[in-house]
């Protein structure tokens, strides 16, 4: 019997689930998602198309936590996540963008597994389910991640231990204890990933914690960030940082320019300027795990 925690590709049933129990997007959602990231529909699920989809995704869909400061709860349902990106033209944190991308890839014929990862904090790792990353299996196995702050712009070969070069940096995968893998960027440890397949629901408590706990990074900070061909654009509150060819320009925007900056740089249309809100006290959902990104 197929493990229902692994996003394998099967024919969808009338309820929109494939035979492994994973969300299978309808054709309208797939088309809208591809249009959102400026990608053509792949004619086959191969490594070349995967690389193109990932690069287009990270340069179109920002890493952002604006909903957390609007009092909106994140619904870890694949179709809701896809609609936020494709219909509402928004981004999200790791659980959202990687969860949505997994559903897209699955619907395009890729074999996808959700992986739990622990972010390296300088003096140790965060807890399990701290971060959500993806494994994509074909002729080779790939680590795919469109939702880690400074997004990874290309798939990483899971069996490769030498440096892997891409537009956003130099990455290296190293073996860690208990069969886990350590992910390095430009020589600095980023996170430790487990290889056991997980379900999206497994990340619910971690997602809630990052969205609600007063001590969580995302409740204390506003962020919206997107890599570009020459660097990166980040808007944190009213602070706009534009990096091009290694040179950064840091600007404190007046109130009247903030909404325009969200629309101009990220395509996000808001009706008010986001600001840090008091963390609401809500009952946590019944699920396992907690975490950082």
């Amino acid at each position: 019997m197929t493990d229902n925690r692994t996003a394998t590709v099967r024919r969808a049933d009338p309820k929109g689930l494939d035979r492994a129990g994973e969300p299978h997007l309808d054709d309208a959602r797939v088309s809208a998602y591809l249009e959102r990231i400026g990608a053509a529909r792949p004619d086959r699920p191969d490594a070349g198309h995967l690389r193109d989809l990932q690069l287009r995704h990270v340069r179109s869909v920002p890493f952002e936590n604006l909903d957390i400061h609007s009092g909106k709860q994140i619904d870890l349902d694949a179709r809701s996540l896809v609609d936020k990106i494709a219909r509402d033209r928004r981004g999200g944190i790791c659980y959202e963008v990687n969860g949505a991308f997994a559903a897209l890839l699955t619907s395009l014929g890729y074999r996808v597994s959700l992986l739990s990862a622990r972010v390296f904090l300088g003096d140790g790792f965060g807890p399990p389910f701290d971060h959500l990353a993806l494994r994509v299996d074909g002729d080779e196995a790939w680590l795919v991640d469109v939702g880690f702050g400074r997004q990874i712009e290309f798939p990483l070969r899971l069996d490769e231990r030498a440096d892997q070069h891409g537009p956003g940096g130099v990455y290296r995968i190293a073996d860690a204890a208990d069969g886990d893998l350590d992910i390095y960027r430009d020589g600095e440890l980023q996170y430790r990933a487990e290889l056991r397949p997980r379900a999206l629901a497994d990340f619910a408590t971690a997602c809630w914690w990052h969205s609600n706990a007063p001590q969580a990074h995302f409740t204390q900070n506003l962020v919206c960030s997107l890599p570009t061909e020459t660097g990166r654009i980040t808007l944190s509150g009213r602070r706009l940082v534009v990096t091009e060819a290694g040179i950064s320009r840091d600007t404190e925007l007046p109130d009247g320019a903030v909404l325009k900056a969200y629309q101009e740089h990220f395509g996000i249309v808001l009706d008010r300027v986001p600001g840090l809100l008091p963390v609401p006290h809500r009952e946590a959902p019944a699920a396992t795990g907690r975490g950082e990104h």
Side-chain angles (χ1 to χ4, degrees):
M1 182 175 182
T2 304
D3 185 341
N4 64 7
R5 291 171 302 188
T6 304
T8 53
V9 180
R10 301 289 194 275
R11 180 178 298 175
D13 68 13
K15 296 181 180 179
L17 297 178
D18 64 29
R19 292 178 183 174
E22 293 293 339
H24 190 101
L25 302 178
D26 58 81
D27 189 67
R29 280 189 170 93
V30 171
S31 296
Y33 203 145
L34 292 172
E35 186 277 331
R36 168 75 167 92
I37 63 175
R41 187 182 294 259
D43 57 359
R44 59 189 180 280
D46 62 12
H49 287 110
L50 177 63
R51 187 180 182 95
D52 180 67
L53 289 167
Q54 183 168 343
L55 179 61
R56 290 178 181 275
H57 197 288
V58 300
R59 291 190 179 175
S60 304
V61 180
F63 182 87
E64 52 108 337
N65 68 342
L66 304 181
D67 277 356
I68 291 174
H69 298 283
S70 300
K72 297 180 181 178
Q73 288 295 283
I74 296 172
D75 184 4
L76 282 189
D77 166 82
R79 292 177 188 81
S80 297
L81 299 178
V82 167
D83 287 345
K84 180 179 178 181
I85 291 173
R87 181 191 64 197
D88 301 337
R89 307 191 76 80
R90 292 285 305 279
I93 60 175
C94 72
Y95 309 110
E96 298 177 280
V97 292
N98 276 327
F101 196 43
L104 174 67
L105 294 177
T106 298
S107 299
L108 292 174
Y110 289 94
R111 291 184 289 126
V112 185
S113 301
L114 310 184
L115 304 181
S116 169
R118 295 179 291 154
V119 177
F120 184 65
L121 304 175
D123 57 354
F125 292 96
F129 303 100
D130 206 20
H131 176 62
L132 167 60
L134 307 177
R135 172 175 177 156
V136 180
D137 285 289
D139 292 338
E140 297 176 297
W142 302 92
L143 178 74
V144 171
D145 194 341
V146 298
F148 188 74
R150 293 176 61 196
Q151 300 96 315
I152 302 175
E153 296 179 292
F154 63 103
L156 303 178
R157 282 185 53 182
L158 278 175
D159 63 351
E160 179 61 73
R161 297 297 176 262
D163 288 346
Q164 301 187 53
H165 297 257
V170 179
Y171 293 86
R172 181 168 56 85
I173 296 177
D175 295 307
D178 302 318
D180 296 344
L181 298 176
D182 284 343
I183 313 303
Y184 290 82
R185 179 183 184 137
D186 296 333
E188 297 183 357
L189 182 57
Q190 303 296 301
Y191 59 80
R192 176 168 291 176
E194 300 177 359
L195 293 182
R196 174 187 175 187
R198 300 288 185 171
L200 193 56
D202 293 338
F203 297 85
T205 298
C207 182
W208 180 94
W209 188 88
H210 283 297
S211 304
N212 293 273
Q215 64 271 40
H217 173 77
F218 289 133
T219 63
Q220 299 178 45
N221 298 274
L222 272 166
V223 64
C224 187
S225 186
L226 195 68
T228 65
E229 290 186 8
T230 57
R232 175 171 292 273
I233 299 175
T234 300
L235 182 56
S236 181
R238 289 168 174 77
R239 182 185 174 213
L240 178 67
V241 180
V242 179
T243 302
E244 294 179 315
I247 300 174
S248 295
R249 302 193 315 274
D250 194 325
T251 306
E252 191 74 17
L253 299 176
D255 287 350
V258 175
L259 290 181
K260 182 179 179 181
Y262 275 113
Q263 184 169 4
E264 177 182 347
H265 296 295
F266 307 102
I268 295 177
V269 178
L270 302 172
D271 57 8
R272 66 175 181 83
V273 175
L276 294 176
L277 297 179
V279 179
H281 296 283
R282 301 185 179 97
E283 183 178 353
T288 58
R290 40 180 298 207
E292 162 73 31
H293 283 269

